[in-house]
Amino acid sequence: MLVVFGMFQSKRPLKMTETVALGTMTIILALYTHAGTHIMFLVTGNPAIMRLLEHFCLVLLPAPAIIFFAAMTENLNSHLVRITLWLVTGNFVICLLVLIFGITDFHNLLILSHAIIGIVIGFMIFMYIRELKIDKERDNRYRYMLLAFGILFITGIIDIVRYYLPGWREDTAAATRIGLTVFFIVLLIYETTSMIDTNRRSLEHDIQARLARVDGLTGLSNRLAFNECEEVLQNGASGRCAIVQFDVNDLKKVNDKQGHLEGDRSEERRVGKECRSRWS
């Protein structure tokens, strides 16, 4: 849902990238944490495929994670993002070659994937510290997302450490599942609040655009609306149009003698009468 919403509903490119990356990361995390479950075994029926799925999820996970974090902190053009994508691509190619030619068990390459994840976490911490120095005032949604990422990273590191400890290899994603649950709850709150805020700003923009192009007294389009309409007509390839122009006189006399309120009422009556007579 996040991926589809980001691709087809987000109006801003940065927000689209953030939402799609977040949805992709959530999908990969869900596949990783469920790779060793009975449900996945019923789907695949092959333990080797389950191990392969778990491994390649770890290989690909840093890419959407760094893209989402960079888009959220408005650092999408950072060199750290490019370095991460090159590391992930290289790791993926190595694992694929090992799998195709049978050089060694791809399980032995987990240390490389873990190292890349650690490097990417360091990149994110660096980007966060740099962002705090640039802009120290961030809204609560931003802080909540960083808290959710922190919990997810901590639980992921716990699982990585547990993997290298003897006797802990039966379920190497137990802590990550807890972190993913917390992360997903905060994710729902963040995206819901973000969408509501985006819709509110869009509504405010539409109201401001209308107020800028409509005369508050008569309800007619003003000079700005006329200029925009004229530009559309000038740039049109073909078609015909008719322009009617008229002037309302003697309003100053009414304002001077009877006041501006009466002049406003007089203008409303005059404009309405002129419009009805002209168009009839």
Side-chain angles (χ1 to χ4, degrees):
M1 290 176 61
L2 283 171
V3 172
V4 172
F5 177 81
M7 292 177 62
F8 298 103
Q9 297 297 326
S10 297
K11 298 180 180 179
R12 295 181 300 168
L14 196 63
K15 182 62 179 176
M16 180 191 69
T17 304
E18 175 186 330
T19 307
V20 172
L22 188 56
T24 305
M25 184 182 64
T26 306
I27 293 172
I28 294 176
L29 276 172
L31 289 174
Y32 168 72
T33 55
H34 290 79
T37 59
H38 295 291
I39 297 177
M40 191 61 67
F41 180 76
L42 292 175
V43 174
T44 61
N46 190 338
I49 295 179
M50 296 165 58
R51 291 176 54 213
L52 183 66
L53 176 64
E54 182 180 11
H55 182 74
F56 273 97
C57 285
L58 283 179
V59 171
L60 298 175
L61 181 60
I66 192 72
I67 292 174
F68 168 75
F69 199 86
M72 188 177 64
T73 56
E74 299 180 0
N75 289 305
L76 200 57
N77 294 324
S78 174
H79 294 293
L80 301 180
V81 178
R82 300 187 185 93
I83 293 174
T84 300
L85 295 180
W86 278 111
L87 290 175
V88 171
T89 303
N91 190 19
F92 181 81
V93 171
I94 291 174
C95 294
L96 198 61
L97 292 177
V98 168
L99 180 65
I100 294 175
F101 295 102
I103 301 174
T104 182
D105 188 355
F106 62 85
H107 202 69
N108 297 327
L109 299 175
L110 269 177
I111 187 172
L112 178 60
S113 300
H114 291 161
I116 294 176
I117 291 175
I119 292 173
V120 174
I121 292 175
F123 287 168
M124 293 180 180
I125 294 174
F126 174 78
M127 293 170 64
Y128 174 54
I129 295 175
R130 186 177 62 179
E131 185 68 16
L132 285 181
K133 292 181 179 180
I134 298 175
D135 188 1
K136 296 182 179 180
E137 296 181 359
R138 285 286 183 177
D139 56 14
N140 291 329
R141 289 177 289 119
Y142 183 84
R143 295 189 181 96
Y144 288 152
M145 286 304 300
L146 291 178
L147 175 63
F149 258 94
I151 295 174
L152 187 61
F153 288 152
I154 291 173
T155 54
I157 292 174
I158 291 175
D159 278 338
I160 292 176
V161 174
R162 288 174 60 246
Y163 173 79
Y164 292 100
L165 294 177
W168 287 90
R169 293 196 177 187
E170 295 182 359
D171 188 359
T172 58
T176 305
R177 277 195 290 271
I178 299 175
L180 181 61
T181 303
V182 177
F183 176 81
F184 185 70
I185 293 173
V186 178
L187 164 67
L188 289 177
I189 298 174
Y190 168 78
E191 286 298 330
T192 303
T193 308
S194 179
M195 285 187 287
I196 293 174
D197 183 63
T198 301
N199 292 334
R200 178 183 59 82
R201 293 183 180 180
S202 178
L203 180 60
E204 291 177 352
H205 178 269
D206 293 340
I207 294 175
Q208 292 176 357
R210 184 179 182 278
L211 292 176
R213 292 164 175 80
V214 177
D215 179 66
L217 179 62
T218 62
L220 300 175
S221 299
N222 60 14
R223 179 64 179 270
L224 176 61
F226 174 79
N227 291 338
E228 292 178 348
C229 183
E230 184 182 27
E231 183 177 356
V232 172
L233 293 174
Q234 288 178 348
N235 296 330
S238 61
R240 296 179 179 180
C241 67
I243 298 177
V244 179
Q245 180 179 350
F246 60 91
D247 191 14
V248 181
N249 298 319
D250 299 329
L251 285 180
K252 187 175 185 306
K253 296 179 180 179
V254 179
N255 290 336
D256 293 341
K257 295 180 179 180
Q258 302 181 26
H260 288 274
L261 292 178
E262 181 61 29
D264 292 344
R265 287 192 290 268
S266 177
E267 182 179 359
E268 290 177 349
R269 291 194 297 267
R270 285 174 177 269
V271 171
K273 183 178 179 181
E274 288 284 347
C275 289
R276 287 192 296 270
S277 63
R278 293 286 183 176
W279 290 107
S280 62

